[in-house]
Each structure stands twice: as structure tokens, then as C-alpha cells.
Amino acid sequence: MKILSVETSCDETSLAVVEATGGLSLPRFKTEHHLIASQIAIHRPFGGVVPNLAKREHLKNLPFLYNDLRARGFDISKTDLIAATAGPGLEPALWTGINFAQALGGSAAKPVLGVNHLEGHLYSFLLSSPFRTKRELEKMFPAIVLLVSGGHTMLMRLSSLTEWHILGETLDDAAGEAYDKVARLLGLPYPGGPEIEKIAKKGNPHAVEFPRPMLGKPNYSFSFSGLKTAVLYYVKANARTIKKNPADIAASFQAAVIDVLAGKTRKAITEHEARSLVLVGGVAGNRAIREALGTLAAEKKIPFLVPTMEHNTDNAAMMAVAAYIAHLSGKTYPLKADGSLSLS
Ligand code: KG4
Ligand code: ZN
């Protein structure tokens, strides 16, 4: 089936046209078109995403991207399904995509369904699926999924493609949010994740021993707010030296994040006898984190599945994957913006 998906949950406006085949037993995806209009430059002067500015930009970008799709040969009459992200995200931004999808569906008489942004991230690794047979796919379960984005940090156990259990989540800030806040403390621009990663390469990860929150606790909860506060106190107390070398702080902060993410994930793999490890979400674009979790999977002798770079941060292609699986399993979401929509 051919799916047109619309993603406007935060600061990326994205449309994708994806051909999905194979059903739930071996889903396969061919991306025919994938357009992303980033608003980073608009929000950067404010140090974060401004919801009403995001809404205004989505309203401007959506018809522009859609015309671009048509110029590339897209024909809505050949589409089977239209999907729009219903949440979680910024409600004014979500509504723009939902309304746009509904208007398109209404005029072309096509079904429109709501999809969960977190399911988009969760299934994003399937866009570059290495599975050739149903058996190969079945062999990946149970899988441990680490979903790390700007709004979420969670460890999940996947018993099959459609059955999951959340093992633990962050109790306060998400990992990406901590990257963004620490970047701001160091005077780096938004979004902070890629900026911290860049300068951390030149720093010493052992320069400052920041805390590893929750690492010693016998559960799968995370907490990154304390780590951010520890960086804040350090920066305040050492303002002069930091100006000279923020790279050491960035590297030491990143080392703490990696230790916590890898430590909790290791515990989950062991306890659940996982047969694969999946890393998804915007923070999964971080090469140091990919490397650490890749090494962990290799040590445990299980496959490591991670999306290609363009599918980590918010994009519509992953939402088409979520739409296909939701459509087949009958678990769709109402076409109504829900800023705190959770995984059910
Ligand atoms: O998944 P995403 O695009 O949006 C949400 O659903 O939240 O994730 C965005 C988050 C931001 O906090 C951003 O700083 C972080 O992902 N991020 C990174 C990197 N690239 C993006 N964090 C660390 N290292 C990166 N390379
Ligand atoms: Zn996201």
C-alpha cells in the first residue's frame, strides 16, 4: 500500500510517500519521496522551539512541500492511506499537520489516520530493515529498544513487532533535553546535541567526574536533571577555565550520559535475554552513543539495529512505517492533537 505521511510534531515539517508491503510478518518499506523542511534557523535565536513560531512555519511549509511532491510526480489518487502525527509533541504544531492531512483526505476521498510519534521512532529502524525472511525477523525478539529523543528516554522490551512493555523511562529530563540544556550552559547554539557531540571529540571525557544518576538503582528509570545541575554548578564554579576549554565539560557530560544509557541497557539485555538491541530517536544520531551501544551488542553477541542518520531525528518516513503497522494491527489514534500522547 502507498502511504502519504505528514509529520509536524515539533520543528521539522516533513512529508513522505512510502510504499509498504509484506504485512506484519515481514514489513518492507520503499521511500519514494521524503521531504524535510527544518526550522532550526528560525528557533535558534530563542535557544529552543517556540510553539507558535513552529505552527506558523508548518502552515507555510506544508503547501510548499506538497507542491514540491507533486512536481516530483506524486499523484494522490494512487495513495491508499494518509497519516498524520497526532502526538506527542507541540499541540499547535500537531494540529497543522492533522488539518492538512484531513483536508487532503477529504478532497481526494482517502482514509486519514492518526499516528503516534513515539511509534514512528520505535519503528524507524525498519526503514533500513536487514530482514530477508519472516524467520530472520522473528529471531530478533525479544528485543530491547532504547528510545532517546528530545522529549523521551525509555527502555522497552519488544516481544514482537506489535507487543511491547515499557521497562523504564526518565523521571525528569530526557537525554536530548539534557544535551540541549548543557549546550546552553556552555554557550552553544540550539539544538545542543550535535554541538556537544562535535566539541566533545576534542575534550577529555575524564576531566570532570560528573554523577551517573540512577545507574546503581535496581530499575530502568533514568534521571538527567541532576546531571544537568551538576554541570551548572561546575560551570558556575569554574567560569574562567571553562571559557578556555568547554570541550572537556562536553566530553565529561557525554561520558556520563553514555555510562548511564549503556549501563541500563546492558542490564535490560541480560535480564530479558534479549536477542537484539535497537537504538532510535534523535539522540541515536550521536556517533559516540551509537558506538557504545554497538559495542555492547557485539559483546552480548546480538544484532544491533539503528536507523540511518536521516531517520533518527523527526521525519515523516518513520511515521509512514508506524501508520502501516497501526493500520494492519488496528491500533490507530484519533485525529486529534494530543501533546502528551503515550505509547499504549
Ligand atoms: O527525536 P527528535 O528529533 O525530536 C523529539 O522527538 O524530541 O530529537 C531531538 C533531540 C534534541 O534534543 C537534540 O539535541 C538531540 O535529539 N540530538 C542529539 C544529536 N542529534 C540530535 N543529541 C546528541 N547527539 C546528537 N548528535
Ligand atoms: Zn521525535
Side-chain angles (χ1 to χ4, degrees):
M1 82 190 299
K2 203 182 286 274
I3 302 170
L4 167 67
S5 52
V6 183
E7 156 65 35
T8 61
S9 67
C10 192
D11 59 346
E12 319 280 357
T13 319
S14 181
L15 295 181
V17 180
V18 174
E19 178 76 41
T21 53
L24 286 177
S25 53
L26 188 62
R28 297 196 150 284
F29 303 93
K30 190 168 156 272
T31 306
E32 293 184 358
H33 303 285
H34 193 197
L35 304 174
I36 305 178
S38 170
Q39 302 176 7
I40 285 177
I42 309 266
H43 299 285
R44 190 164 263 175
F46 302 94
V49 181
V50 183
N52 276 325
L53 271 186
K55 172 184 167 178
R56 190 190 74 188
E57 289 304 301
H58 288 310
L59 287 172
K60 210 160 66 186
N61 291 340
L62 282 166
F64 181 79
L65 292 185
Y66 189 69
N67 284 339
D68 194 356
L69 270 190
R70 295 211 306 180
R72 290 164 193 251
F74 171 68
D75 176 358
I76 197 160
S77 70
K78 300 203 174 98
T79 303
D80 302 295
L81 184 67
I82 301 174
T85 307
L90 306 168
E91 289 188 3
L94 290 161
W95 274 121
T96 65
I98 293 171
N99 291 338
F100 189 79
Q102 264 179 326
L104 282 180
S107 61
K110 299 290 178 187
V112 186
L113 59 86
V115 269
N116 186 321
H117 184 78
L118 295 174
E119 289 179 19
H121 278 303
L122 167 62
Y123 292 130
S124 56
F125 71 97
L126 291 172
L127 284 161
S128 42
S129 168
F131 308 111
R132 284 160 303 179
T133 62
K134 290 176 191 176
R135 221 184 108 59
E136 266 185 29
L137 176 61
E138 277 161 18
K139 268 172 57 186
M140 81 172 270
F141 303 110
I144 292 298
V145 181
L146 175 64
L147 191 162
V148 266
S149 70
H152 295 82
T153 297
M154 53 172 77
L155 265 171
M156 300 163 70
R157 175 203 157 101
L158 234 60
S159 322
S160 76
L161 259 194
T162 53
E163 292 165 287
W164 59 69
H165 171 66
I166 298 173
L167 300 175
E169 295 184 71
T170 183
L171 303 176
D172 40 58
D173 291 355
E177 195 178 352
Y179 266 93
D180 294 336
K181 287 178 176 171
V182 167
R184 207 175 309 155
L185 291 176
L186 297 179
L188 299 169
Y190 176 85
E195 301 289 332
I196 297 256
E197 179 181 14
K198 200 168 15 167
I199 69 163
K201 281 188 201 133
K202 293 176 232 141
N204 172 10
H206 306 293
V208 190
E209 280 306 309
F210 286 126
R212 269 65 174 157
M214 308 297 288
L215 188 55
K217 293 271 186 318
N219 59 31
Y220 295 107
S221 301
F222 297 92
S223 164
F224 290 106
S225 155
L227 173 57
K228 172 209 66 192
T229 308
V231 178
L232 170 69
Y233 287 148
Y234 188 86
V235 168
K236 275 192 175 158
N238 301 275
R240 232 179 286 141
T241 41
I242 281 155
K243 269 212 180 102
K244 268 191 261 152
N245 198 4
D248 279 353
I249 310 298
S252 301
F253 160 75
Q254 183 161 278
V257 173
I258 292 177
D259 275 357
V260 174
L261 293 178
K264 295 273 174 181
T265 307
R266 174 192 300 278
K267 178 170 142 66
I269 292 173
T270 309
E271 276 188 18
H272 292 271
E273 297 181 7
R275 293 165 84 190
S276 64
L277 171 62
V278 180
L279 172 68
V280 291
V283 182
N286 183 296
R287 286 179 201 279
I289 295 176
R290 286 165 95 95
E291 219 173 276
L293 290 176
T295 305
L296 171 59
E299 201 184 287
K300 296 279 185 183
K301 298 191 173 54
I302 56 174
F304 179 51
L305 303 160
V306 61
T308 53
M309 282 302 185
E310 62 167 322
H311 298 134
N312 291 310
T313 42
D314 295 346
N315 67 88
M318 70 182 192
M319 300 317 299
V321 177
Y324 184 59
I325 293 175
H327 169 76
L328 293 177
S329 59
K331 213 185 81 187
T332 61
Y333 295 84
L335 270 167
K336 178 181 164 296
D338 182 350
S340 49
L341 187 66
S342 55
L343 274 175
S344 51

